[in-house]
Amino acid sequence: EADIYQTPRYLVIGTGKKITLECSQTMGHDKMYWYQQDPGMELHLIHYSYGVNSTEKGDLSSESTVSRIRTEHFPLTLESARPSHTSQYLCASSGKDSNEQFFGPGTRLTVL
Amino acid sequence: KNQVEQSPQSLIILEGKNCTLQCNYTVSPFSNLRWYKQDTGRGPVSLTIMTFSENTKSNGRYTATLDADTKQSSLHITASQLSDSASYICVVSDRGSTLGRLYFGRGTQLTVWP
């Protein structure tokens, strides 16, 4: 079982609110990722990080931002949530010499 | 364009039966191919990984095959159980970047009925 955690698991919030989705891993992995996944669709990479103080945008344009101040922590923030942000957000991590990604359980976000 | 296509989109089988899921990809250069199982409301979990030189690999009741020439893979599930109900995602990695870029299929939604 991969040691990667996401909180909250479910979040229902009103339009315009600021939210932060938490992701932590205890495996000492350098690389971390955020994906967005809609029902029946493939995962889309929205952010990734090679290590501390390194963050890059993924393939899918996203209004969210991320930070990587500590190796184990990779939070995602939405400054002003909108209904179009409703989706499942999955965090993942991988080791230095591997591209196997270990996924967290996900956060199901609903913006009303 | 690097793509991963899976079929069927959804599948319903009776408990105890076998089934085979398909994955075709156009990713190049090729590094490896993984099959992930994603339970509803959970993150994907890796079932198998196959590199260019491997033709078949088993993990319990799951057997994956890879034909690197035709760029096709299959996942065979034997003696299905109710707990096999999930989405099965084919993920292909390219060899071209340090990131180990992953290309995801949309998954096959498998439902096992009692």
Side-chain angles (χ1 to χ4, degrees), chain A residues 1 9-10 31 33 35 37 40-43 45 48 50 59 88 90 98-101 103-105, chain B residues 9 31-32 34 36 38 41-46 49 89 93-94 98-102 104-106:
Chain A
E1 191 82 16
R9 292 294 317 282
Y10 303 93
K31 292 179 280 190
Y33 315 83
Y35 291 89
Q37 184 184 30
M41 301 297 288
E42 65 266 48
L43 279 71
L45 182 67
Y48 61 93
Y50 288 126
D59 306 314
Q88 169 151 281
L90 289 163
S98 170
N99 61 20
E100 178 180 7
Q101 295 186 15
F103 287 84
Chain B
Q9 183 177 349
S31 176
N32 57 57
R34 295 180 188 272
Y36 279 85
Q38 184 177 21
R42 308 290 297 181
V45 176
S46 179
I49 177 174
I89 303 172
S93 176
D94 68 19
T98 56
L99 180 63
R101 169 70 190 272
L102 300 186
F104 291 82
R106 293 187 175 186

Side-chain angles (χ1 to χ4, degrees), chain B residues 64-85:
Chain B
T65 66
L66 174 66
D67 186 334
D69 292 329
T70 61
K71 298 187 177 181
Q72 296 180 324
S73 176
S74 66
L75 180 69
H76 186 76
I77 304 175
T78 304
S80 61
Q81 300 176 358
L82 298 180
S83 59
D84 292 333
S85 295

Side-chain angles (χ1 to χ4, degrees), chain A residues 4-84:
Chain A
I4 181 163
Y5 309 97
Q6 290 186 243
T7 57
R9 292 294 317 282
Y10 303 93
L11 180 62
V12 181
I13 200 163
T15 297
K17 300 293 185 181
K18 177 180 179 179
I19 60 169
T20 297
L21 308 184
E22 302 288 349
C23 176
S24 296
Q25 49 95 7
T26 59
M27 296 173 282
H29 285 168
D30 293 319
K31 292 179 280 190
M32 295 190 74
Y33 315 83
W34 275 103
Y35 291 89
Q36 187 173 336
Q37 184 184 30
D38 293 317
M41 301 297 288
E42 65 266 48
L43 279 71
H44 290 287
L45 182 67
I46 52 175
H47 297 284
Y48 61 93
S49 167
Y50 288 126
V52 172
N53 294 324
S54 156
T55 60
E56 302 288 344
K57 289 189 179 294
D59 306 314
L60 184 66
S61 176
S62 175
E63 294 166 347
S64 59
T65 58
V66 292
S67 62
R68 189 88 184 275
I69 299 173
R70 303 197 316 264
T71 297
E72 62 271 21
H73 197 213
F74 192 39
L76 180 146
T77 298
L78 274 168
E79 291 292 333
S80 180
R82 295 206 302 268
S84 61

